[in-house]
Amino acid sequence: SRVLREGDRLLSIAGQPVTSPSQAADVIAGAVGVPLSVTVARFDPTQATETTVDVQLRPRQRRLADPLITPE
């Protein structure tokens, strides 16, 4: 399928090779709301091989709870 799965290994984002997890996080964080083409390597246990899969992502802004503010 064309969604990210646990175990997928990032190969490229928007055609640029992924060189580190922090580089990938920076590219994704800078593309909130913008469609991104991502290529991943995925292991196929039925064939015992790794294949490449292209996935389209649209990163969203996440709001994290403030640990200093408690709900009333």
Side-chain angles (χ1 to χ4, degrees), residues 2-70:
R2 302 281 184 203
V3 297
L4 290 177
R5 294 185 184 170
E6 184 176 345
D8 283 353
R9 190 168 46 89
L10 287 174
L11 300 176
S12 67
I13 300 174
Q16 298 300 311
V18 173
T19 57
S20 70
S22 62
Q23 178 246 1
D26 289 346
V27 171
I28 292 168
V32 171
V34 178
L36 284 178
S37 176
V38 176
T39 302
V40 299
R42 180 174 294 163
F43 182 72
D44 180 352
T46 63
Q47 302 292 319
T49 59
E50 192 171 70
T51 59
T52 58
V53 178
D54 292 321
V55 179
Q56 293 294 314
L57 302 179
R58 184 181 297 265
R60 294 182 292 177
Q61 182 75 35
R62 291 186 73 188
R63 292 179 188 241
L64 301 177
D66 187 335
L68 301 177
I69 299 175
T70 56

